[in-house]
Amino acid sequence: ANVAHKAVIAGAQEAGETFELWTGEVTANDFREHTGVSLDAFTSLDEVPEGSEYKHGKASDSGVKYAVVTYGKLFPMTRQAIINDNLNAFTAIPMAMGRAAIRTCGNQVYSLLTTNPELADGKTLFHTDRNNMASAGTKITADAFSAGVTAMGTHVGKAEEALNITPAYLLCPIAKKGEALTLLNSQLIGTQQQPNQVNP
């Protein structure tokens, strides 16, 4: 059991999933529906002249409902396989199961982005009203990247206060990986028809 457990962990660590870089974890003690609460920005502070009273500020919160679910599969180990173990079944199979487990988590996380679900306010995660959506078919260019950074940096919360969000990751499908790496790693942009410029 100890060998199999270590093999499962090793398989999960070797899987190369990326969702753990930009997501967080919460704890749930049971399978009931829970609400995750996020506090938005607090209103900016006012100058308080000598002898004056402090005014009340405000902060709003938002919540998303979630619940724990169980995923799993069985793999039979026959008596003959245990005796023979000519394929290192006690390590190879648990490693594959560890990779499958972390892959399943990744599929669930990225599914939330690609299916664009409706949130509690009745609008989808990516929506023009949220100022977080580019036009369909937008290519990964310096201009599009700059527009996204600007939209994030000027985004305001419910209290109409600037959130000053700075992007840390560029998420894209594997089919766009070359396009993204070209933009992120090129010193110059443009073509012979458009003179090269410094890549911002």
Side-chain angles (χ1 to χ4, degrees):
N2 190 41
V3 171
H5 181 261
K6 288 180 180 177
V8 168
I9 299 299
Q13 291 172 340
E14 293 173 3
E17 288 290 336
T18 58
F19 73 92
E20 294 171 306
L21 296 172
W22 56 273
T23 59
E25 291 184 5
V26 295
T27 301
N29 296 322
D30 53 46
F31 294 91
R32 290 178 289 189
E33 189 174 74
H34 299 274
T35 301
V37 178
S38 171
L39 189 65
D40 289 332
F42 191 79
T43 49
S44 296
L45 307 182
D46 297 328
E47 181 181 348
V48 182
E50 184 179 352
S52 298
E53 293 183 5
Y54 287 85
K55 295 179 181 176
H56 287 278
K58 63 179 180 177
S60 57
D61 58 22
S62 54
V64 176
K65 297 191 180 301
Y66 66 92
V68 175
V69 295
T70 303
Y71 289 83
K73 281 201 172 146
L74 297 174
F75 182 84
M77 291 288 288
T78 63
R79 177 174 178 269
Q80 287 83 354
I82 293 171
I83 293 170
N84 295 336
D85 194 23
N86 56 358
L87 296 176
N88 298 316
F90 290 111
T91 54
I93 292 169
M95 281 187 77
M97 294 174 92
R99 285 192 291 271
I102 198 74
R103 183 176 66 242
T104 301
C105 292
N107 290 345
Q108 295 299 315
V109 170
Y110 284 109
S111 172
L112 289 174
L113 297 181
T114 57
T115 59
N116 198 21
E118 188 175 283
L119 301 184
D121 60 3
K123 296 175 185 170
T124 53
L125 174 63
F126 297 105
H127 194 282
T128 52
D129 288 353
R130 299 189 197 284
N131 195 27
N132 66 355
M133 194 166 93
S135 301
T138 300
K139 295 191 178 216
I140 303 176
T141 63
D143 288 341
F145 188 81
S146 178
V149 171
T150 301
M152 291 176 75
T154 57
H155 204 72
V156 295
K158 291 180 181 178
E160 296 301 316
E161 299 298 322
L163 299 179
N164 196 26
I165 301 169
T166 302
Y169 300 99
L170 173 61
L171 304 179
C172 66
I174 195 69
K176 296 282 187 182
K177 184 175 180 179
E179 199 174 301
L181 289 175
T182 298
L183 174 68
L184 295 176
N185 296 317
S186 298
Q187 292 183 344
L188 301 174
I189 58 173
T191 63
Q192 289 180 341
Q193 290 76 26
Q194 302 170 323
N196 288 328
Q197 305 172 31
V198 174
N199 184 350

